[in-house]
Amino acid sequence: MSKSTSTPKKETGGQATAKADERLQIFKRLKLILSRYSPPLTAVSDYESRYELVSKKQVTYRGKQVDQVYFGAVIIQGAYVGLYLSAVYDEPANLERIGEDLRKKLKGKSCFHIKKLDDSLALQVEQAVKTGFEYYEREGVI
């Protein structure tokens, strides 16, 4: 007797939908945290799966005249939600001010891979965003 492959497909599809729903909920919560800083920051992407903030202020930053400075973003990606915080890259000391659980999620220079978001991690994200915002204020970017 041959085995049916329909049951695993249904389970996989259901799991995929559940994970997509979970990523969407994580995205919405992280977007809410970032959006508290708009204004003075400006959203240059505001979609169901991508939200990006910049400071639209003409400044000399890192020796160059620029019209805007990238602040951060939240983007639904393959198996995680990416949280990008430029202040971590621009000033490595800001990384030391980030909670340990969030720091463990850092992949690369400024992207955090968030697969699960509990209240404790959300609080660490809030603090990291606030730290980044305050850093850019001190730098005269905002």
Side-chain angles (χ1 to χ4, degrees):
M1 180 181 238
S2 67
K3 292 184 180 180
S4 170
T5 59
S6 63
T7 301
K9 288 181 183 176
K10 287 181 184 177
E11 290 174 4
T12 301
Q15 291 171 352
T17 301
K19 292 205 180 275
D21 289 345
E22 185 175 5
R23 284 191 308 270
L24 182 60
Q25 292 308 311
I26 292 168
F27 171 83
K28 287 179 179 180
R29 193 164 178 190
L30 294 175
K31 178 183 175 183
L32 179 63
I33 293 168
L34 282 177
S35 69
R36 292 179 186 141
Y37 293 89
S38 176
L41 298 173
T42 302
V44 292
S45 293
D46 188 357
Y47 305 105
E48 290 182 22
S49 63
R50 180 183 206 92
Y51 183 73
E52 295 177 280
L53 288 177
V54 300
S55 173
K56 286 206 170 206
K57 180 178 178 183
Q58 194 172 57
V59 295
T60 301
Y61 187 67
R62 298 183 162 246
K64 296 180 182 177
Q65 187 70 23
V66 295
D67 293 329
Q68 66 184 29
V69 174
Y70 194 81
F71 178 77
V74 58
I75 303 170
I76 295 177
Q77 296 176 320
Y80 61 90
V81 177
L83 171 66
Y84 296 83
L85 297 176
S86 292
V88 172
Y89 174 76
D90 287 347
E91 177 53 58
N94 288 328
L95 183 58
E96 296 171 16
R97 296 181 185 99
I98 291 176
E100 184 179 335
D101 292 336
L102 181 58
R103 198 174 319 128
K104 289 178 183 177
K105 310 253 182 248
L106 181 64
K107 309 296 181 203
K109 296 179 181 179
S110 66
C111 180
F112 299 87
H113 292 193
I114 311 293
K115 294 181 180 179
K116 301 273 185 201
L117 183 63
D118 59 21
D119 290 341
S120 174
L121 187 59
L123 192 59
Q124 290 179 35
V125 169
E126 287 178 15
Q127 185 58 49
V129 172
K130 180 181 178 193
T131 297
F133 184 83
E134 290 169 349
Y135 166 73
Y136 283 127
E137 275 187 319
R138 285 190 307 275
E139 292 294 306
V141 173
I142 298 173

